Amino acid sequence: MPRPARQSARASRPWWCQHLWGETTMTANDRPPLVSVVVPTYKRPAMLREALGSVLGQTLRDLEVIVCDNADDPETREVVASFDDDRITYVGRPENIGMMANAIDGFRRATGELVIKLDDDDAFEPDALETLAAPFADRPELTASFCDLQLVDVAGHELAEATTTLQHDTHRESLPEGLHTPFSAIAAQGAVTLAGALLRRSAIDWDAVPAQAGTSYDLFLVVSAAEDAASSWYVRRPLVRYRIHGANDSVKNVVPSLEASQWILREAMASGRHGDADVFRQRMAQDDARLAREYLLLGDGRRARRSALDSLRVRPTPAAISVALLSMLPLGMGTRVSRRRREAYVVAAGRRVDAAPAPTTDH
């Protein structure tokens, strides 16, 4: 049966600690698992079943699974219990503590040498963990091993065009497989995504993840793992099926995420632990252009103009120039134009998803 939640398992906590709710105690013959998989979830029991099945079906068996339920949902508990696997620990939250806090608490409870997050709507390929863990052998300088993602829609259909676009946008399409030292630059560019990254647990101070990281905490963790010229390993294969819930989902709550990313990148540059900061400035300029567009959609011309100009000072792209010009139009006109463009984008993206081929029978 799944283990009940432990009170705490911070990175500094000894492996021989006792577990609450039954006082299960590790003995001298026991040891922590190699990999801890943190699975944050919120009222998606059907998708969670698929996610957990993909974890427990891994070729790498030396693992633990920490399911962090932000709703303490009875259906979710039933799904977890149905696997009848004592490698699973279920953590039910009496109240929703927020996306970041839910996930970070899971990482703090982890006891494995290596940690990875799997969202409740995603799934691993059968050899994902074995493949990602292999490069850590005899490489103490390695703090991350990461892979490509296969984007899929809600029904599990593979999204080939969107996956190719992601490879381009994250700079992985030209990234050579293998060792990258240092990897601060590729982390700042977005090549190392937490959804497909196995991290060395000791490389991150899990008690020092700031609230300002917000919904971009994934970027904070990856950038933290890259500090002090650490090394990473790139596996040029899609080992994670990453679910996209449609264009409306992808453009929702964008502003808080981008603002958090800007804060993270500024703090990283100020820390002096990432060498050349030019890549960080380029990423911030790219995000400034996106922020300008989002501010304009919200009708905030002043902030849109400021972000667009900040972007243009570093990275004068057509997108930044366009939004800067729109922000200077008479009150409301630029916002109306931007909203019409966004509506057209959402419709077109929805059509691309609808046109995706049906999944094959072996998925």
Side-chain angles (χ1 to χ4, degrees), residues 37-74:
V37 182
V38 176
V39 184
T41 186
Y42 184 78
K43 293 185 178 180
R44 289 198 285 213
M47 290 183 177
L48 176 65
R49 186 181 298 279
E50 179 184 349
L52 290 180
S54 78
V55 178
L56 299 175
Q58 288 293 296
T59 55
L60 186 150
R61 308 292 296 168
D62 187 12
L63 57 83
E64 68 174 352
V65 189
I66 303 168
V67 178
C68 298
D69 181 4
N70 224 358
D72 198 15
D73 178 51

Side-chain angles (χ1 to χ4, degrees), residues 93-149:
R93 313 286 185 201
E95 59 185 43
N96 189 328
I97 63 173
M99 181 175 69
M100 184 186 86
N102 190 38
I104 296 302
D105 178 68
F107 283 118
R108 288 172 178 156
R109 294 171 183 271
T111 60
E113 178 184 349
L114 309 173
V115 294
I116 191 169
K117 177 174 76 80
L118 181 69
D119 286 328
D120 60 359
D121 56 342
D122 298 335
F124 290 140
E125 295 296 340
D127 63 339
L129 296 182
E130 182 178 10
T131 302
L132 289 171
F136 284 92
D138 302 320
R139 289 191 180 93
E141 77 282 6
L142 205 70
T143 61
S145 175
F146 64 101
C147 65
D148 294 334
L149 307 178

